[in-house]
Amino acid sequence: MIIAPSLLASDFARFGHEAARVHRSGAEWLHLDIMDGHFVPNISFGPQVVRAVRPHFERTLDVHLMCSKPEILLEPFAAAGADSITIHVELGAQVTPLLWKIRSLGKKVGIAVNPPTHIAEVKPYLSKVDLVLIMTVNPGFGGQPFIEECVPKIQQVETWRRQLGLKYRIEVDGGINDTTAVECARAGADTFVAGTALFGKPSLTTAVKRMRRLTTAAGQHASLL
Ligand code: DX5
Ligand code: ZN
């Protein structure tokens, strides 16, 4: 299982310090929520922040673009040090060329799907991506409640992965805590983005280790069913 703390929930006055803290926690990925104030009603941070945190986090920088025009952002984020770049399936006709562009930049490719969007929308792209991100809140803000109705979407992409013999990771993002993470692991998720539930704890390291332990056990139990 992979735990990916979301920088969105960190101390915005100390991004470098916070990235180093995530590194020390042993979290495999650092998730960076990029918001443009158009695709979502909020603005977070851009490529310069990725560049700033890059030296402080030596494992995977997982960039999630909640942006309406990602085509102008792919190269700056790749140059800043992103290892994986995820775009939203809601972008429609732009999706295929964007996925090819991310691949051409030598980065891992992710596709995200919002709660109201039918999971069938991502099926055409599954063979082209390394990661499917199931949003479990409506994107834009941290600290929102988990949307239970998204769980069947996790099960569906896990079934397709098995049936199609593909290897993409299944990531969940939004309202993920120890309880909802276990529910998502049981449904087939293997990568967990969490902001509030991890940065809100006295020890990030303890919280990361606990979420990893709980989701690993839940995932193993599910595979025995
Ligand atoms: C929503 C963001 C959040 C963030 C995590 O647009 O993507 O989901 O990563 O937020 P928490 O874990 O605080 O719900
Ligand atoms: Zn995200």
Side-chain angles (χ1 to χ4, degrees), residues 55-136:
H56 302 285
F57 186 81
E58 294 162 29
R59 295 184 289 271
T60 297
L61 290 183
D62 173 34
V63 171
H64 173 195
L65 296 180
M66 289 162 271
C67 305
S68 298
K69 293 180 64 64
E71 65 276 13
I72 61 174
L73 298 169
L74 297 181
E75 289 184 23
F77 277 104
D83 296 299
S84 178
I85 301 177
T86 295
I87 57 158
H88 271 260
V89 72
E90 291 82 11
L91 292 172
Q94 290 182 63
V95 170
T96 296
L98 288 168
L99 297 180
W100 280 107
K101 177 74 177 174
I102 298 168
R103 185 70 76 201
S104 74
L105 290 167
K107 305 303 177 185
K108 292 288 186 194
V109 182
I111 191 158
V113 53
N114 284 333
T117 306
H118 196 284
I119 195 61
E121 295 286 315
V122 300
K123 195 169 185 189
Y125 308 107
L126 293 178
S127 61
K128 300 183 178 69
V129 300
D130 304 298
L131 171 73
V132 177
L133 170 50
I134 308 285
M135 291 303 294
T136 44

Side-chain angles (χ1 to χ4, degrees), residues 4-9 31-35 40 42 64 66 88 114 133 135-146 172-177 193-198:
S6 169
L7 198 71
L8 191 72
H31 187 82
L32 296 117
D33 285 306
I34 310 302
M35 301 178 182
V40 291
N42 194 7
H64 173 195
M66 289 162 271
H88 271 260
N114 284 333
L133 170 50
M135 291 303 294
T136 44
V137 295
N138 285 299
F141 300 89
Q144 300 179 78
F146 180 81
V172 287
D173 179 355
I176 299 300
N177 55 39
V193 175
T196 308
L198 295 178

